[in-house]
């Protein structure tokens, strides 16, 4: 089928084509991407495109070269996308406001919040981190306002019991 990089006969069936060229396309994609999982993904996408257009690809003088060119183009697109994403992350992280570390008192409070049942912890976090209203928390969690009030009450009571402190919450309902 292939002799020293020159195809002498195009495989008649897609399965034969796939089995004949798969390893070399994966190796090429690995060489370009440096990642075995990315190489497999790139090769699969290239072969999927060959399968979709098999009627025309199978008539080409060198369908193996075509699928390799597709893999090369996909690898290049992946590299460009990853580079653009990396640059965006760098730009955005440089513009991000600094995070103010919490005091130890706050750390123990949030440790207790993380020990609460999931919905109670979510309600407490939305109330005290995002300063959301009962109505906004209800919309965010997809529950009724009465449910939010109950979650906040139960969460506050649990935290107060654990920390043994009254007055942690200024906005008791």
């Amino acid at each position: 089928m292939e002799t020293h990089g020159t195809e002498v006969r195009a495989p008649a069936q897609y399965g034969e084509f796939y089995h004949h060229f798969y390893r070399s396309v994966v190796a090429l994609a690995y060489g370009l991407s440096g990642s075995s999982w990315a190489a497999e993904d790139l090769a699969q996408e290239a072969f999927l495109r060959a399968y979709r257009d098999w009627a025309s690809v199978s008539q080409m003088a060198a369908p193996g070269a075509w699928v390799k060119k597709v893999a090369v183009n996909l690898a290049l697109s992946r590299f460009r996308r990853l580079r653009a994403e990396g640059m965006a992350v760098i730009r955005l992280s440089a513009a991000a406001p600094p995070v103010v570390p919490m005091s130890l008192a706050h750390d123990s409070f949030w440790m207790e919040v993380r020990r609460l049942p999931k919905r109670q912890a979510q309600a407490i976090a939305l109330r005290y981190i995002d300063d959301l209203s009962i109505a906004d928390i209800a919309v965010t969690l997809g529950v009724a306002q009465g449910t939010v009030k109950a979650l906040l009450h139960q969460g506050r009571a649990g935290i107060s019991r654990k920390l043994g402190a009254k007055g942690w919450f200024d906005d008791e309902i």
Side-chain angles (χ1 to χ4, degrees):
M1 284 191 224
E2 186 173 355
T3 308
H4 302 290
T6 305
E7 296 178 48
V8 293
R9 180 181 67 82
Q13 300 297 321
Y14 177 80
E16 182 183 342
F17 167 76
Y18 179 87
H19 288 291
H20 182 75
F21 289 103
Y22 184 75
R23 290 183 66 182
S24 63
V25 173
V26 170
L28 173 65
Y30 178 77
L32 296 171
S33 69
S35 164
S36 58
W37 70 264
E40 293 272 344
D41 193 48
L42 293 167
Q44 289 296 328
E45 180 62 27
F47 279 101
L48 176 63
R49 291 180 186 192
Y51 180 79
R52 284 187 201 145
D53 296 331
W54 185 243
S56 61
V57 172
S58 65
Q59 300 305 309
M60 294 178 177
W66 182 88
V67 78
K68 289 176 184 178
K69 180 175 175 70
V70 169
V72 166
N73 289 340
L74 289 169
L76 182 59
S77 294
R78 178 182 177 274
F79 172 75
R80 288 179 180 151
R81 185 181 65 253
L82 290 175
R83 186 179 66 199
E85 289 171 0
M87 296 303 290
V89 166
I90 290 169
R91 274 193 314 274
L92 292 174
S93 63
V99 176
V100 179
M102 291 187 198
S103 71
L104 290 177
H106 289 129
D107 193 40
S108 62
F109 171 82
W110 289 107
M111 187 181 312
E112 292 304 325
V113 170
R114 288 188 292 275
R115 290 184 178 138
L116 291 172
K118 181 177 84 170
R119 282 293 197 190
Q120 289 177 21
Q122 291 168 344
I124 294 284
L126 290 168
R127 180 66 172 181
Y128 295 102
I129 291 176
D130 282 346
D131 199 27
L132 294 184
S133 67
I134 301 295
D136 290 338
I137 295 170
V139 169
T140 301
L141 296 180
V143 299
Q145 290 185 32
T147 302
V148 171
K149 290 177 183 178
L151 291 170
L152 288 171
H153 176 75
Q154 293 162 356
R156 290 171 178 148
I159 292 169
S160 292
R161 275 193 306 275
K162 293 289 186 177
L163 296 177
K166 296 285 183 196
W168 274 86
F169 306 101
D170 295 330
D171 63 346
E172 283 288 332
I173 298 171

